[in-house]
PDB file of all heavy atoms in Angstrom:
ATOM      1  N   ASN A 203      -0.936  50.206  41.198  1.00  0.00           N
ATOM      2  CA  ASN A 203      -0.602  51.579  41.622  1.00  0.00           C
ATOM      3  C   ASN A 203      -0.125  51.655  43.072  1.00  0.00           C
ATOM      4  O   ASN A 203      -0.186  52.719  43.684  1.00  0.00           O
ATOM      5  CB  ASN A 203      -1.795  52.528  41.427  1.00  0.00           C
ATOM      6  CG  ASN A 203      -2.263  52.564  39.993  1.00  0.00           C
ATOM      7  OD1 ASN A 203      -1.466  52.443  39.071  1.00  0.00           O
ATOM      8  ND2 ASN A 203      -3.562  52.722  39.795  1.00  0.00           N
ATOM      9  N   ASP A 204       0.364  50.554  43.614  1.00  0.00           N
ATOM     10  CA  ASP A 204       0.927  50.561  44.973  1.00  0.00           C
ATOM     11  C   ASP A 204       2.448  50.675  44.829  1.00  0.00           C
ATOM     12  O   ASP A 204       3.202  49.719  45.028  1.00  0.00           O
ATOM     13  CB  ASP A 204       0.533  49.276  45.697  1.00  0.00           C
ATOM     14  CG  ASP A 204       0.764  49.367  47.202  1.00  0.00           C
ATOM     15  OD1 ASP A 204       1.483  50.303  47.632  1.00  0.00           O
ATOM     16  OD2 ASP A 204       0.238  48.532  47.942  1.00  0.00           O
ATOM     17  N   TYR A 205       2.901  51.891  44.497  1.00  0.00           N
ATOM     18  CA  TYR A 205       4.297  52.074  44.093  1.00  0.00           C
ATOM     19  C   TYR A 205       5.265  52.060  45.269  1.00  0.00           C
ATOM     20  O   TYR A 205       6.396  51.588  45.133  1.00  0.00           O
ATOM     21  CB  TYR A 205       4.429  53.370  43.293  1.00  0.00           C
ATOM     22  CG  TYR A 205       3.603  53.341  42.034  1.00  0.00           C
ATOM     23  CD1 TYR A 205       2.432  54.096  41.930  1.00  0.00           C
ATOM     24  CD2 TYR A 205       3.958  52.531  40.964  1.00  0.00           C
ATOM     25  CE1 TYR A 205       1.654  54.057  40.778  1.00  0.00           C
ATOM     26  CE2 TYR A 205       3.189  52.483  39.810  1.00  0.00           C
ATOM     27  CZ  TYR A 205       2.032  53.246  39.727  1.00  0.00           C
ATOM     28  OH  TYR A 205       1.266  53.198  38.597  1.00  0.00           O
ATOM     29  N   SER A 206       4.842  52.544  46.436  1.00  0.00           N
ATOM     30  CA  SER A 206       5.729  52.512  47.607  1.00  0.00           C
ATOM     31  C   SER A 206       6.056  51.074  47.980  1.00  0.00           C
ATOM     32  O   SER A 206       7.223  50.733  48.237  1.00  0.00           O
ATOM     33  CB  SER A 206       5.063  53.226  48.784  1.00  0.00           C
ATOM     34  OG  SER A 206       4.882  54.592  48.504  1.00  0.00           O
ATOM     35  N   LEU A 207       5.032  50.232  48.013  1.00  0.00           N
ATOM     36  CA  LEU A 207       5.268  48.818  48.307  1.00  0.00           C
ATOM     37  C   LEU A 207       6.065  48.174  47.185  1.00  0.00           C
ATOM     38  O   LEU A 207       6.917  47.304  47.433  1.00  0.00           O
ATOM     39  CB  LEU A 207       3.920  48.106  48.494  1.00  0.00           C
ATOM     40  CG  LEU A 207       3.983  46.675  49.027  1.00  0.00           C
ATOM     41  CD1 LEU A 207       4.707  46.619  50.371  1.00  0.00           C
ATOM     42  CD2 LEU A 207       2.572  46.110  49.169  1.00  0.00           C
ATOM     43  N   GLY A 208       5.823  48.620  45.947  1.00  0.00           N
ATOM     44  CA  GLY A 208       6.569  48.094  44.818  1.00  0.00           C
ATOM     45  C   GLY A 208       8.057  48.339  44.941  1.00  0.00           C
ATOM     46  O   GLY A 208       8.871  47.471  44.619  1.00  0.00           O
ATOM     47  N   VAL A 209       8.424  49.540  45.426  1.00  0.00           N
ATOM     48  CA  VAL A 209       9.845  49.853  45.608  1.00  0.00           C
ATOM     49  C   VAL A 209      10.459  48.908  46.643  1.00  0.00           C
ATOM     50  O   VAL A 209      11.570  48.371  46.442  1.00  0.00           O
ATOM     51  CB  VAL A 209      10.028  51.328  46.035  1.00  0.00           C
ATOM     52  CG1 VAL A 209      11.450  51.571  46.522  1.00  0.00           C
ATOM     53  CG2 VAL A 209       9.700  52.256  44.875  1.00  0.00           C
ATOM     54  N   LYS A 210       9.767  48.672  47.750  1.00  0.00           N
ATOM     55  CA  LYS A 210      10.282  47.771  48.796  1.00  0.00           C
ATOM     56  C   LYS A 210      10.466  46.363  48.255  1.00  0.00           C
ATOM     57  O   LYS A 210      11.487  45.708  48.508  1.00  0.00           O
ATOM     58  CB  LYS A 210       9.324  47.763  49.986  1.00  0.00           C
ATOM     59  CG  LYS A 210       9.266  49.077  50.743  1.00  0.00           C
ATOM     60  CD  LYS A 210       8.269  48.998  51.892  1.00  0.00           C
ATOM     61  CE  LYS A 210       8.186  50.333  52.622  1.00  0.00           C
ATOM     62  NZ  LYS A 210       7.174  50.298  53.707  1.00  0.00           N
ATOM     63  N   THR A 211       9.483  45.893  47.492  1.00  0.00           N
ATOM     64  CA  THR A 211       9.591  44.547  46.915  1.00  0.00           C
ATOM     65  C   THR A 211      10.714  44.506  45.883  1.00  0.00           C
ATOM     66  O   THR A 211      11.467  43.517  45.803  1.00  0.00           O
ATOM     67  CB  THR A 211       8.258  44.137  46.269  1.00  0.00           C
ATOM     68  OG1 THR A 211       7.207  44.252  47.238  1.00  0.00           O
ATOM     69  CG2 THR A 211       8.315  42.713  45.767  1.00  0.00           C
ATOM     70  N   GLY A 212      10.826  45.576  45.093  1.00  0.00           N
ATOM     71  CA  GLY A 212      11.901  45.645  44.107  1.00  0.00           C
ATOM     72  C   GLY A 212      13.276  45.579  44.763  1.00  0.00           C
ATOM     73  O   GLY A 212      14.199  44.935  44.229  1.00  0.00           O
ATOM     74  N   GLU A 213      13.408  46.242  45.902  1.00  0.00           N
ATOM     75  CA  GLU A 213      14.690  46.201  46.610  1.00  0.00           C
ATOM     76  C   GLU A 213      15.002  44.794  47.102  1.00  0.00           C
ATOM     77  O   GLU A 213      16.161  44.364  47.110  1.00  0.00           O
ATOM     78  CB  GLU A 213      14.660  47.205  47.766  1.00  0.00           C
ATOM     79  CG  GLU A 213      14.699  48.660  47.286  1.00  0.00           C
ATOM     80  CD  GLU A 213      14.427  49.662  48.393  1.00  0.00           C
ATOM     81  OE1 GLU A 213      13.949  49.232  49.479  1.00  0.00           O
ATOM     82  OE2 GLU A 213      14.676  50.867  48.187  1.00  0.00           O
ATOM     83  N   MET A 214      13.964  44.054  47.515  1.00  0.00           N
ATOM     84  CA  MET A 214      14.182  42.661  47.924  1.00  0.00           C
ATOM     85  C   MET A 214      14.613  41.819  46.724  1.00  0.00           C
ATOM     86  O   MET A 214      15.468  40.927  46.849  1.00  0.00           O
ATOM     87  CB  MET A 214      12.906  42.089  48.551  1.00  0.00           C
ATOM     88  CG  MET A 214      12.600  42.656  49.938  1.00  0.00           C
ATOM     89  SD  MET A 214      11.284  41.789  50.822  1.00  0.00           S
ATOM     90  CE  MET A 214       9.842  42.401  49.971  1.00  0.00           C
ATOM     91  N   ALA A 215      14.032  42.113  45.562  1.00  0.00           N
ATOM     92  CA  ALA A 215      14.432  41.388  44.348  1.00  0.00           C
ATOM     93  C   ALA A 215      15.883  41.697  44.002  1.00  0.00           C
ATOM     94  O   ALA A 215      16.667  40.799  43.646  1.00  0.00           O
ATOM     95  CB  ALA A 215      13.507  41.768  43.188  1.00  0.00           C
ATOM     96  N   ILE A 216      16.267  42.957  44.120  1.00  0.00           N
ATOM     97  CA  ILE A 216      17.655  43.356  43.830  1.00  0.00           C
ATOM     98  C   ILE A 216      18.615  42.628  44.758  1.00  0.00           C
ATOM     99  O   ILE A 216      19.662  42.110  44.327  1.00  0.00           O
ATOM    100  CB  ILE A 216      17.799  44.888  43.962  1.00  0.00           C
ATOM    101  CG1 ILE A 216      17.101  45.570  42.780  1.00  0.00           C
ATOM    102  CG2 ILE A 216      19.274  45.290  44.022  1.00  0.00           C
ATOM    103  CD1 ILE A 216      16.984  47.074  42.924  1.00  0.00           C
ATOM    104  N   SER A 217      18.279  42.551  46.042  1.00  0.00           N
ATOM    105  CA  SER A 217      19.125  41.841  47.011  1.00  0.00           C
ATOM    106  C   SER A 217      19.257  40.369  46.649  1.00  0.00           C
ATOM    107  O   SER A 217      20.339  39.778  46.763  1.00  0.00           O
ATOM    108  CB  SER A 217      18.530  41.970  48.420  1.00  0.00           C
ATOM    109  OG  SER A 217      18.526  43.319  48.839  1.00  0.00           O
ATOM    110  N   ALA A 218      18.162  39.770  46.193  1.00  0.00           N
ATOM    111  CA  ALA A 218      18.203  38.349  45.837  1.00  0.00           C
ATOM    112  C   ALA A 218      19.094  38.115  44.626  1.00  0.00           C
ATOM    113  O   ALA A 218      19.896  37.166  44.600  1.00  0.00           O
ATOM    114  CB  ALA A 218      16.784  37.847  45.561  1.00  0.00           C
ATOM    115  N   TYR A 219      18.999  38.986  43.620  1.00  0.00           N
ATOM    116  CA  TYR A 219      19.851  38.818  42.443  1.00  0.00           C
ATOM    117  C   TYR A 219      21.312  39.096  42.793  1.00  0.00           C
ATOM    118  O   TYR A 219      22.223  38.455  42.233  1.00  0.00           O
ATOM    119  CB  TYR A 219      19.377  39.733  41.310  1.00  0.00           C
ATOM    120  CG  TYR A 219      18.174  39.171  40.571  1.00  0.00           C
ATOM    121  CD1 TYR A 219      16.920  39.741  40.716  1.00  0.00           C
ATOM    122  CD2 TYR A 219      18.309  38.060  39.744  1.00  0.00           C
ATOM    123  CE1 TYR A 219      15.803  39.220  40.052  1.00  0.00           C
ATOM    124  CE2 TYR A 219      17.213  37.531  39.078  1.00  0.00           C
ATOM    125  CZ  TYR A 219      15.960  38.108  39.236  1.00  0.00           C
ATOM    126  OH  TYR A 219      14.874  37.585  38.588  1.00  0.00           O
TER     127      TYR A 219
END
Side-chain angles (χ1 to χ4, degrees):
N203 302 326
D204 195 345
Y205 299 107
S206 296
L207 189 57
V209 167
K210 292 179 182 177
T211 305
E213 289 170 346
M214 288 191 284
I216 288 171
S217 296
Y219 281 109

